[in-house]
Amino acid sequence: MQRTHSGRPARIRPAIAIILALLLAAVCASTLSVARASASAPSGAVTVRVEGPKGTLIPATGVLLSDGTVVKDGVATDSCSELSAAGALELATRGDWGGTWSSSFSAYFLTTIDGLSYPSTGAEYWAFWVNDAPSAQGICSYDPKPGDSLLFYPDCFGKTCPKSAGVLGVKAPATAVVGRSFAVSVTEYSDAKGTPSKAVGATVSGGGAMAKTAANGRATLSFTRPGRFTLKVHARHAVRTETTVCVAAAGTKTCG
């Protein structure tokens, strides 16, 4: 399986890959509202998530964008719109990302998020996806719409790259009842168009419950206690995902 970078196959010439990577990043510094995934994202929010090679760096985080220009390196001309995906990244990470400005592309080559760095000379880089598909635009040029879901994760190009099963997606009910089973659907997105396929054998766990997806990509779980739980989804060679479920005791409407 080939991962994609900005909507193109990952196995491309290094020079092209570097050019595409330059288009992926941008500048930001903002002080707008941020809502973590543990609470409902505000109306009109854009959701940002950052995955690392061993786990989540930034959980799904709702951010509200506003008009303006942002600068990352202190040079006023090295700027982009706060309404861009880079503005969303700046808010979600609270500024904890870095890159190198390219005058040719008026963008940053994104090298670091949350302390995890991938230099431009290596095979690995920070991929940028929008709504379960690789973005065809860089984060400085893409302006997210309310409700968009942005994902950043380490991808790789070249013959030495490990096998990949793509990016996982999950659908689960927002609420559940203690002692009652419910189904979770897990999909894999592994091409440039974001076409979903059923994820077989993925592990879904959280709140003391655990199950694996069957041939139909569905797993059945139940909880023994109320609460708001994070369901974490893992599969071999795939980028993980997660979602939250409010589990209420029978006869109530609260999460405990």
Side-chain angles (χ1 to χ4, degrees), residues 15-197:
I16 297 176
I18 291 173
I19 289 173
L20 292 174
L22 284 167
L23 295 174
L24 283 182
V27 211
C28 299
S30 181
T31 56
L32 301 177
S33 302
V34 176
R36 288 292 179 181
S38 58
S40 297
S43 176
V46 173
T47 300
V48 179
R49 180 166 58 92
V50 181
E51 293 293 336
K54 297 182 179 180
T56 302
L57 299 181
I58 306 294
T61 302
V63 298
L64 293 173
L65 307 179
S66 69
D67 198 9
T69 57
V70 291
V71 175
K72 193 70 176 177
D73 62 1
V75 179
T77 55
D78 298 352
S79 64
C80 66
S81 171
E82 288 182 352
L83 295 173
S84 68
L89 178 63
E90 176 74 8
L91 288 172
T93 63
R94 292 179 171 84
D96 193 3
W97 67 275
T100 303
W101 177 259
S102 168
S103 298
S104 299
F105 298 100
S106 297
Y108 278 86
F109 174 62
L110 180 61
T111 57
T112 305
I113 302 179
D114 198 36
L116 183 61
S117 297
Y118 295 102
S120 59
T121 54
E124 293 180 290
Y125 62 91
W126 282 107
F128 167 45
W129 282 40
V130 178
N131 299 331
D132 298 318
S135 176
Q137 297 176 273
I139 62 174
C140 196
S141 57
Y142 181 75
D143 292 342
K145 300 178 292 295
D148 272 359
S149 178
L150 312 184
L151 170 66
F152 297 86
Y153 71 94
D155 206 343
C156 182
F157 65 87
K159 294 181 179 179
T160 61
C161 295
K163 179 182 178 181
S164 171
V167 175
L168 296 176
V170 59
K171 292 183 178 180
T175 61
V177 177
V178 172
R180 296 182 186 176
S181 299
F182 66 96
V184 175
S185 297
V186 181
T187 52
E188 293 175 344
Y189 301 90
S190 57
D191 65 16
K193 296 181 180 180
T195 305
S197 60

